[in-house]
Amino acid sequence: MHQKLRVYEHSTMEWQKDDIEMIIGSYADDINPELLAVLSDGRSDFLKDHGRFEADLRRAVEVLELRIEN
Protein backbone atom coordinates (compact mmCIF):
# COMPACT_ATOMS: atom_id res chain seq x y z
CA MET A 1 0.00 0.00 0.00
CA HIS A 2 2.86 2.34 0.78
CA GLN A 3 4.25 2.04 -2.73
CA LYS A 4 0.82 2.48 -4.34
CA LEU A 5 0.21 5.61 -2.24
CA ARG A 6 3.48 7.17 -3.38
CA VAL A 7 2.70 6.49 -7.03
CA TYR A 8 -0.91 7.67 -6.63
CA GLU A 9 -0.10 10.96 -4.93
CA HIS A 10 2.56 11.90 -7.50
CA SER A 11 0.87 10.63 -10.64
CA THR A 12 -0.44 13.05 -13.25
CA MET A 13 -2.07 10.26 -15.27
CA GLU A 14 -5.72 9.70 -14.42
CA TRP A 15 -5.70 6.19 -15.90
CA GLN A 16 -2.86 5.27 -13.54
CA LYS A 17 -4.76 6.63 -10.53
CA ASP A 18 -7.88 4.76 -11.65
CA ASP A 19 -5.88 1.54 -11.95
CA ILE A 20 -4.51 1.97 -8.43
CA GLU A 21 -8.00 2.65 -7.06
CA MET A 22 -9.27 -0.50 -8.74
CA ILE A 23 -6.37 -2.65 -7.48
CA ILE A 24 -6.56 -1.39 -3.90
CA GLY A 25 -10.37 -1.56 -3.90
CA SER A 26 -10.17 -5.17 -5.00
CA TYR A 27 -7.59 -5.89 -2.32
CA ALA A 28 -9.92 -4.34 0.29
CA ASP A 29 -12.59 -6.88 -0.72
CA ASP A 30 -10.26 -9.72 0.29
CA ILE A 31 -8.55 -8.23 3.35
CA ASN A 32 -9.09 -9.75 6.79
CA PRO A 33 -12.37 -8.22 8.05
CA GLU A 34 -10.90 -7.43 11.47
CA LEU A 35 -7.98 -5.57 9.93
CA LEU A 36 -10.28 -3.73 7.54
CA ALA A 37 -12.45 -2.64 10.48
CA VAL A 38 -9.39 -1.16 12.19
CA LEU A 39 -8.18 0.56 9.04
CA SER A 40 -11.58 1.90 8.02
CA ASP A 41 -12.84 2.95 11.44
CA GLY A 42 -16.03 1.12 10.46
CA ARG A 43 -16.70 2.93 7.15
CA SER A 44 -18.22 0.55 4.61
CA ASP A 45 -16.97 2.58 1.61
CA PHE A 46 -13.36 2.67 2.81
CA LEU A 47 -10.94 2.58 -0.16
CA LYS A 48 -13.96 2.51 -2.51
CA ASP A 49 -15.04 6.18 -2.58
CA HIS A 50 -13.25 7.99 -5.41
CA GLY A 51 -13.47 11.33 -3.61
CA ARG A 52 -11.90 9.96 -0.42
CA PHE A 53 -9.58 7.36 -1.90
CA GLU A 54 -6.28 9.17 -1.39
CA ALA A 55 -7.15 10.09 2.20
CA ASP A 56 -8.30 6.52 2.89
CA LEU A 57 -5.14 5.05 1.42
CA ARG A 58 -3.01 7.47 3.43
CA ARG A 59 -4.88 6.45 6.62
CA ALA A 60 -4.39 2.74 5.86
CA VAL A 61 -0.65 3.24 5.39
CA GLU A 62 -0.36 5.29 8.60
CA VAL A 63 -2.29 2.75 10.67
CA LEU A 64 -0.28 -0.16 9.28
CA GLU A 65 3.01 1.63 9.91
CA LEU A 66 1.99 2.34 13.51
CA ARG A 67 1.09 -1.32 14.04
CA ILE A 68 4.45 -2.41 12.64
CA GLU A 69 6.34 0.02 14.91
CA ASN A 70 4.51 -1.19 18.02
Side-chain angles (χ1 to χ4, degrees):
M1 283 192 179
H2 185 268
Q3 179 187 23
K4 296 294 186 204
L5 173 60
R6 296 300 167 243
V7 172
Y8 188 90
E9 64 189 0
H10 296 291
S11 179
T12 58
M13 297 174 281
E14 288 305 314
W15 65 265
Q16 187 176 41
K17 288 183 170 188
D18 290 343
D19 284 355
I20 292 170
E21 287 185 35
M22 185 179 68
I23 291 165
I24 296 294
S26 178
Y27 174 74
D29 289 338
D30 297 329
I31 198 169
N32 177 299
E34 292 173 7
L35 176 58
L36 185 58
V38 169
L39 297 176
S40 69
D41 202 24
R43 280 194 24 248
S44 63
D45 64 346
F46 187 72
L47 295 169
K48 305 241 183 213
D49 179 340
H50 177 73
R52 292 187 45 95
F53 180 79
E54 186 172 352
D56 287 351
L57 185 54
R58 187 171 282 114
R59 174 181 163 71
V61 168
E62 289 170 358
V63 170
L64 290 170
E65 287 176 348
L66 284 173
R67 288 182 155 253
I68 290 170
E69 290 174 4
N70 295 325

